Amino acid sequence: MTERNRLEAGGRIDRSHPLEFRFDGRSLTGYRGDTLASALLANGVHLVGRSFKYHRPRGVLGIGAEEPNALVQVARGAQTEPNVRATQLMLYEGLEASSQNRWPSLAVDLGGLADLASSWMPAGFYYKTFMWPARLWPFYERAIRRMAGLGRAPAAADPDDYDHMHAHCDVLVVGAGAAGLAAALAAARCGARVILADDQSEAGGQLLGERYEIGGRSALAWVSGAMAELRAMSEVRVLQRTTITGHYDHGYLIGCQVFREPGQPDPVGVPRQRLWKIRARRTVIAAGSIERPLVFPDNDRPGIMLAFAARAYCNRYGVRSGSRVVVVTACDDAYRTALDLAAAGVGIAAVVDLRPSGSGHLPRQVRARGIEVLIGQRIVGVRGRARVEALRTQSSAGGAIREIACDLVAMSAGWIPSVHLFSQARGELQFDERLGVFVPLGRLENVVCVGAARGTASLRGALQDGFFAGQVAAQACGLAGREEAQDIATVEPEEAPLDWRGIFGAASLGGRQFVDFQNDVTVDDVRLAVREGYDAPEHLKRYTTAGMGVDQGRTGNINVLALLAEARAEAMTTIAPTTFRPPYQALSFGAIAGALVGPLHAPTRKTPMHDWHAGRGAVFENVGQWKRPRHYPSAGETLQAAVDRECLAVRRGVAIADVSTLGNIDVQGPDAEAFIDRIYCTRMSALGIGRCRYGLMLRQDGMIFDDGIAARLGEQHYLVSTTTAGAASVFAWMEEWLQTEWPDLRVYCTSVTEHYAQIALSGPRSLELLGPLVDIELDAMPFMSMREARVAGVPARVFRLSYTGGPGFEIAVPAGRAYELWTTLFGAGERFGIIAYGTEAMHVLRAERGFIMVGHETDGSVTPGDLGFEGRLAMDKPFIGKRSLRRADLLRLDRKRLVGLLTQAPDCVLPEGAQLLDEPIDSPQSAAPVAMIGHVTSSYFSAHCARSIALGLVRGGQARLGDTLYAWVDGRAIEVTVTAPRFLDAAGKYAYG
Amino acid sequence: MLLIPCPWCGPRDETEFTCGGEAHIVTPRAPEDLDDEAWGEFLYLRTNPKGRCAERWVHTHGCRRWFNVLRDTVTERILTVYEVGARPPQAGDD
Ligand SMILES: [Zn+2]
C-alpha cells in the first residue's frame, strides 16, 4: 500500500486491483472501485482546483453529483473532456486528469490575485463594469473567459461511440438506496415491470457510506440480498451508473448510462454512454438527499468537507481524509462522522455544535468515546490557505475565540432532499420548518418521492416509504399488491432537530463566506444584491449567478434562499424556489446524438442517375435530403467557368439535367378537378387533357408557399409537381385540406416522387436530339403539353416545357429505367456536343428569364401580386388564400415588388441578401439611419447576357423602373438600375444590350 | 414528451405527430363577405386557453390521419381524442 491516507482495511475497493493514474502530471495509485476523488484523498491530495472567479484554492467538498469544486479535465491524446466531477469519475488504469482554471500551475496561480482584489468584484461585477461601451463587449468577454474558465472544450471530433435505448416499464424507480430498493422490490414482487436506475457504480445509495444495520445485519448485506432478488426477476432491469437527468410529460424520462469514463480505453467495443429514453407508467423518485454546507468565513478552504462525505470516504473507500478532524454541525447526524472516523482510528479533535444543546443518543455516544463536544458555538473562521490548519470558534454568546488545530473540518447543516426530478415534472415544493429545506408538496398524478428525497430522515422511514410506494405504484398499474412482511425493522432513537437558522455567520465576521462554491458567490454578494433590489429568487440567481454553475447549486441554493429570506426579513415560507429544469446532470453532445452522426445523421436520397453524376465529377449540393449535382467541373475549372459553360450549352446547343428530385404528387378522383382548382391560385380546371400549367400555391394568409407545374393526365387525373424541398409539405398540406376541410371531396393523393425519374433536355437542339428517339410527333406538341410515349423504347411521359425560358423537354420514366435512358440520351447527344448541367446553371437560366424560385424570391411574406402575378389570379373561383389577397395591407402599392437589378459594372455580382437603399451613404458611420427599401433575392453572373444580373424585392418596385438604387455591400454603396424582372427578350437575347 | 393516443394506432410518442393548432376554427362559408377585421380574426386569433384546449393533431409518422385532442394545457393531461368533424366533448363528460 502506497497511499498514505489509505486505511489498512475496509471499504469496498478491490485491493487486489491496484491502478496507476496521473493528476497534474503526478503519478499516483489507487484501487479498482475508487473514484478519482477517493484516490486523490487517499494520496493526501486535497487541493484539486481553483475557483471560478477568485481563483481560490479548492478541495473536494462532497462525494457524488453535488460536488462543486473537484471538477477536472480528463485527457488522452487529442481527446479531452472538461468539468468531470472527480467524485463520480471511476478510477481506471492510466487515467490522466488535471486541475482546471489555474495558470501557470495549481499551486502557483496568478489569477489568485483576483482573490486579493475581490472587494472590487462584487455581485453583478461583470454587468456593472463591462457593459459599456457595448461594442467593446466582445473584447471584455474574451478576457473574462480566459480568467474565469472551467476547463477546455475539445478541439477534435469525439472519437467515442454512443447509443440510444428506448424502454417502457410499469414502475421506474430512480435511485437504488434504501428507499429505492424497497420500492423496486415491492413493485417487482407484485409482478410489475420495473426499471431501477441508479447513478452510482453499485446499489446502496447513502448506505454505501454508512455503517447502518437493517433487520439485525449489516445494511449492505440487505442491499446485496435485495439486488440478488431483483436481478433474478425477469421483468426487472437494473441500470447502474445511470443518471436520470430529465423528467418530462406523461412519464417520459431521460437517463444517461456511463460504460466508460472519458479517455478510458475500449477493449471490447462498448459505447461510452447510452442515452435511455424511458416511458414509465409510474415513477418513484428515491433520489436521496445532499448534505447542506455550513456558512462561515473561509468555509471553502481545502480540507473542509461535508460531514457525510468525510465518513463515506472512510467507510466506502477506506480513506482517511485527515488525521485530526473537527466536526462542525447544526444537526445530530454529523456526529456519526466523529463515531465512524474514530472507529477507523482517525483522531477527532472535537465536535463543534452550533446548537445550544447536544443531548441525543449520537452526542452521548461521541462523549462516551471521550471526544470533546462544544455546544452553542459559532465559527469565526479558519486558519490555512491551501489546506485548513485550524478552526476558530467561540461561544455564540461571545467570549474568547478558541483555535482548534485540525487538518479536516467535516461540516453539516442537515440534508437537502433531491427534489429536482419532482420539480422538473412540475411537482410543487413547500418549505419544511423542521428540516429547513423544501420538500415535495404531496405527489403528482403518477409520480411520488420517497425516502430522503421527500425529507424522510430515518432509514426505517425510508424503507417503509419505499415499500409502500412500490406497492401502490404496482397496484396503480393493475397488479395485485402482495402483503409485505416488514422484515426491515431497525431501531433508531430520535435525533435532536436541526437548527438551520443558526448556520450563517454574522455579517460582522468579515472574510468571505461562500454559499455557492462553484460560482464563488458569498453571503455579502447575496446581501448586496438584495440591497440593490434583486430580491426575488429568479433575479437574485441571475444577478449573483448563484446556482448557475454546472452543479446547478445543489449544495448552495438552499443557503442562498435562506439568506434571501433573512435579508428580506421574511419567513422562508414566503420564498418560492426557482424551478428545476432538465437536465439534472449535463448530457454530452455525443450522448444526445447517439449513433446518428456522420453518414447516419440523416438519410441521404440519391436519384437513379447518381452514379453517372459522380462518375462525371459532379459537385453535389444538399437539397433537403437529396444530393443534387450543382455543377460538373472539367479538370481545373472554377465553379463560375463550369456554370458559364453549362449555361451557354443550354442557350446555344443542348444540355441534359437530372430533375428527378422535384416532388410529384398523383391526384385522382371524381373531384380531382375541383380540388386542383382550390389549391392553385391560377385556373387549372380549364386545362385540357395532356396540357400543363404553372401555378402558385398559397397559404390561407395569401402568401406563396410553393410552386410548380400541374399536368392533366385524364378527366379525373392530375400530376402535381412541387419544389424539391416542398414535396413533403405540399403533400401533407393536401392531405390536411382533404381530411379536415373538404372530407366531401372524393380525391386520392399519392406521392410518386421516387416512382419516376425526370430528365430535362434543354436547348435549341433538344428537338433535333429527341425527335428520332420517340414514337410520337414532337413537332405537333404545343408548348406546355404532355404526351405518353416510348423514348428509346422506355415508356415515358414527355413534357414540352422548360424552366430555362428556352426550348426544351422533360421526360419522366419509371425510376428503374432512368439510368438506361439517361445514358442513351447522352450518347445520342454527343454529336450535338451535349453536356450535363447542374442546379447552379438552372438557377442562372431561370433568373435570366425572370422565373422565380421559392425560397429566393419568396420568404413566406410574398404574395402573387408582389411577384407580378396579379393578372394570372383566377379570382372567379375559390382557392386557398384568396380572401387574404384582398386585405388592405396586401393591396398597398408600396409593398415590396419583384424587379430586375443591373449593376453599372457588368462583372459586379451583388451578394444575395444585400440591402437596397434609396440614397448612397458613404460609410457605416454616416449620421442618420437609412431606410432599407428592399433586398437582392437572386444574383448571378450570366454568360449569356455577358454581365451580372439580379432579382430583388423593392418597395413600390413596379413604379421604379429605370431608377437608380444603391446596394449596401461590405460597407460600400453600389449603384444599381431597376429593370423589369426579366433579362431576355422574346427571341431569347439579352434585352438591355 | 406527450404520449398521444392516436385513435387508429394507439398511444405513441409526441415526436410522431404534428400539432395543427386549435380545433373547431370554422372556415367562413363566404369569406368574401367578411371585412378585413373579421377575416384577420379567423386567420390569426386563437383562444390559447389555460386549461382544457381542443387541438388538431396529425399522426405524421404513422397513419397520417388528422384527429382532435382535448388536452389540459396546465397538467398536460390528454382528456380524450375524437374524430375530425365531431363535436368537442363538453366539460364534465370525462
Ligand atoms: Zn395513427
Side-chain angles (χ1 to χ4, degrees), chain A residues 33 90 198-203 240-241 316-317:
Chain A
M90 298 307 292
D198 182 67
D199 69 342
Q200 302 210 53
S201 55
E202 58 177 322
Q240 290 298 156
R241 298 221 67 191
R316 182 172 176 185
Y317 300 105

Side-chain angles (χ1 to χ4, degrees), chain B residues 6-10 12 16-17 59-65 67:
Chain B
C6 171
W8 290 275
C9 309
R12 302 293 181 97
E16 295 185 12
F17 298 83
H59 195 184
T60 308
H61 301 290
C63 62
R64 296 188 72 85
R65 298 284 294 270
F67 56 96

